[in-house]
Amino acid sequence: MTQQTTALLAPFRLPALKLPNRLVMAPLTRNRATADGTPTTLMATYYAQRASAGLIIAEASTPNAAGQTYPNITAVHRPEHVAGWRRVTKAVREAGGRMFLQLQHGGRVGHPATSGLTPVAPSAVPLPGTIFTPQGHRPAVVPREMTAEDIRTTIADFARAARNALDAGFEGVEVHSANGHLLHQFLARNTNLRTDGYGGTVARRIRFTAEVTEAVAAGIGAQRVGLRVSPGNTVNGIAEGETEELYPALAERLGGLGLAYLHLGYADPRTPVYRTVRAAWPGVIVANPVLGEVSTDGVLRASKELLSAGADLIALGRPFLANPDLVERLRLGAPLNPMRDRYFMYVGGATGYTDYPALGAQETGASSDSIVALDGGRVC
């Protein structure tokens, strides 16, 4: 192994969890749950295949029915959801792995054709364009502006979902405040037009994310809670405004809680916001790099750059998706499987999900059945 590979594969300790290496499987929406959000046995196989990751952050799971984004995404607000996730965590634990669960509310990224409910959001500003539903792509609807009671209820739903996640066998949870979903919508000027205590100034726009995170931490212990943000990310029609003020302010407010980590999506160590947040955050940073090249060399190069810039753990999405044995491939310097984009979301089934081969295995041919167009810009 090279020196950079040795550093990446070295053990690491979170506040409440020892990790065998610094590689984190990033949360990836794959749409393989049942229609009501219950995880399936196929999902247990998928995650168990990737149990050699230092930590798996399972895909975005909704804390209430209004938070559903797309068809067949997971949830964690009903007993059957908890039972389904318990089968997944059991399989991963038996394979030697550890899991957090990402908690995500879609906000305006939702549709009545999928959830049966009008989406809610900080303001009545619709998602641009269309959104994928069980009936295919449909025009986005105007969300209902959340009332003060909606905000209180949603915060309580996140805390309850976190308790459900621990009951389901997860080691902790990650609060999702990135990628244009509800918490990110509160952070952004173009989706948060409120004039009350949750809108306007930077201090007010970070309030909802902060209060959700604080409530979750109070419910299950801060050392079992991570927070994901994606500074400057414009996915799902987001225009933040004051990006370089928002995230240091959020880090300052939450830095004293003793959270497990702060997860930076689209992390670029050359940007001022990355350097400012790293300096402001007193704890563990999980960095998700922008990979120009999804290859062994590309992963190792990006990981080395981020570790040198103060990241503690490296979160990878597509490399783990296509390589169930990614840790071993990086250890040996072996080539990576190519990713089959067409099977990422909305397709369902094992193809492009559990059939990626480990080293030495024979890859089965990808079927062309039931291919649905990838909505790549809205992947979690």
Side-chain angles (χ1 to χ4, degrees), residues 17-306:
L17 186 63
K18 184 177 180 180
L19 311 182
N21 58 68
R22 294 173 183 251
L23 284 162
V24 175
M25 179 177 171
L28 295 159
T29 293
R30 301 302 305 277
N31 302 76
R32 262 71 173 190
T34 64
D36 72 353
T38 302
T40 62
T41 55
L42 184 65
M43 291 174 57
T45 299
Y46 168 76
Y47 281 114
Q49 288 175 337
R50 291 153 177 81
S52 60
L55 177 67
I56 294 173
I57 305 173
E59 62 205 81
S61 207
T62 60
N64 57 32
Q68 184 175 5
T69 51
Y70 307 117
N72 300 101
I73 68 163
T74 63
V76 67
H77 55 86
R78 288 164 45 177
E80 54 267 39
H81 303 151
V82 174
W85 275 123
R86 194 175 290 127
R87 289 190 291 270
V88 175
T89 60
K90 180 176 183 289
V92 170
R93 187 171 294 109
E94 289 175 348
R98 298 134 302 278
M99 297 185 80
F100 271 40
L101 177 64
Q102 188 183 74
L103 304 180
Q104 172 197 276
H105 189 302
R108 69 176 186 167
V109 185
H111 199 281
T114 302
S115 67
L117 301 169
T118 299
V120 297
S123 302
V125 180
L127 181 75
T130 64
I131 185 170
F132 190 78
T133 76
Q135 289 80 47
H137 281 270
R138 301 276 295 274
V141 300
V142 177
R144 179 174 62 81
E145 181 174 310
M146 294 174 73
T147 65
E149 179 60 24
D150 290 330
I151 289 173
R152 286 191 294 271
T153 299
T154 302
I155 291 171
D157 287 344
F158 269 92
R160 187 178 305 108
R163 293 192 294 271
N164 287 345
L166 262 60
D167 186 35
F170 287 96
E171 304 284 355
V173 301
E174 178 179 278
V175 174
H176 192 37
S177 185
N179 293 15
H181 297 291
L182 180 64
L183 276 64
H184 200 185
Q185 291 160 28
F186 270 89
L187 294 177
R189 273 205 178 276
N190 74 320
T191 49
N192 183 351
L193 309 181
R194 303 177 74 94
T195 57
D196 63 2
Y198 289 92
T201 65
V202 164
R204 290 178 176 179
R205 288 179 3 238
I206 68 170
R207 181 179 169 187
F208 184 64
T209 290
E211 289 183 352
V212 167
T213 306
E214 289 161 351
V216 170
I220 65 170
Q223 73 279 6
R224 296 188 180 276
V225 181
L227 172 65
R228 190 180 200 205
V229 295
S230 55
N233 187 0
T234 60
V235 71
N236 285 316
I238 288 291
E240 290 172 344
E242 295 109 359
T243 294
E244 293 186 15
E245 288 78 41
L246 276 172
Y247 293 96
L250 190 61
E252 181 178 356
R253 172 154 178 176
L254 297 176
L257 281 183
L259 297 180
Y261 60 79
L262 179 64
H263 185 175
L264 299 178
Y266 305 95
D268 185 346
R270 296 163 294 186
T271 61
V273 69
Y274 174 90
R275 294 192 293 269
T276 304
V277 171
R278 174 62 281 188
W281 185 252
V284 173
I285 289 284
V286 180
N288 172 221
V290 180
L291 290 177
E293 177 190 357
V294 183
S295 67
T296 301
D297 288 343
V299 167
L300 293 176
R301 187 165 50 248
S303 299
K304 178 184 179 182
E305 187 177 11
L306 282 165

Side-chain angles (χ1 to χ4, degrees), residues 327-352:
V327 175
E328 179 68 1
R329 288 175 186 263
L330 295 179
R331 185 181 72 82
L332 297 174
L336 304 186
N337 292 323
M339 196 182 97
R340 306 197 296 268
D341 283 0
R342 294 185 299 175
Y343 296 92
F344 190 64
M345 293 175 71
Y346 310 140
V347 178
T351 303

